[in-house]
Amino acid sequence: YLGHAGVIDVCGIRVGGLSGIFKGGDAHRSYPSPPYNSQTMRSAYHTRTFEMRKLEAFAEVFRGADGRGVDVMMSHDWPVGITKFGDEEQLIRHKPYFEQDIATNSLGNPHTLKALRLLRPSYWFAAHLHCYFHGVVVTEGIR
């Protein structure tokens, strides 16, 4: 279990995860407590900045311990800006309604590209946008 954000070791493979959808208005709030109403129920599955801080802390520990990052990272949202590292034109042809969000740099979670650079995963899987997209990001000599 990874919780809202976490990293676990599975047979020597570091697996990280970030649950939830980014929504700026909820990012700096604490998680709501039950009983939920219609507003707090939706807010409960939005990512929080303190979850990102946890991932940054993991990255710092890994750098000091063995220099390795995370082998596999999973998140619901894509990292904002990830489309610049793949075939963005093909993505827009497939999902034309992404074009405006890409142009305004608001497609995905704005905090996860930093996590990608810090955690340096070999693979990052995200599903929120319901389509295949392959991007390659080189970080500190690691691809």
Side-chain angles (χ1 to χ4, degrees), residues 15-97:
V15 179
L18 176 65
S19 295
I21 298 168
F22 177 77
K23 183 173 181 189
D26 288 334
H28 298 290
R29 294 183 180 149
S30 61
Y31 285 109
S33 299
Y36 300 121
N37 61 36
S38 61
Q39 180 183 4
T40 58
M41 183 171 37
R42 283 182 177 72
S43 172
Y45 58 78
H46 294 151
T47 57
R48 303 301 199 259
T49 52
F50 59 84
E51 301 296 351
M52 297 307 304
R53 302 293 173 267
K54 285 197 289 189
L55 292 175
E56 291 169 15
F58 279 119
E60 189 67 31
V61 168
F62 297 153
R63 250 194 311 281
D66 60 15
R68 273 182 52 221
V70 170
D71 298 303
V72 177
M73 183 68 187
M74 298 176 292
S75 65
H76 189 70
D77 279 332
W78 292 14
V80 162
I82 197 65
T83 61
K84 303 299 181 212
F85 298 92
D87 192 344
E88 187 175 83
E89 290 178 11
Q90 167 58 30
L91 177 64
I92 292 169
R93 279 193 301 275
H94 182 64
K95 299 268 190 166
Y97 43 89

Side-chain angles (χ1 to χ4, degrees), residues 96-127:
Y97 43 89
F98 287 179
E99 188 169 16
Q100 181 65 32
D101 286 344
I102 290 170
T104 59
N105 210 33
S106 58
L107 184 73
N109 185 323
H111 303 286
T112 50
L113 193 59
K114 179 180 179 183
L116 185 148
R117 294 190 185 286
L118 291 171
L119 292 166
R120 303 183 333 265
S122 299
Y123 299 95
W124 186 303
F125 298 98

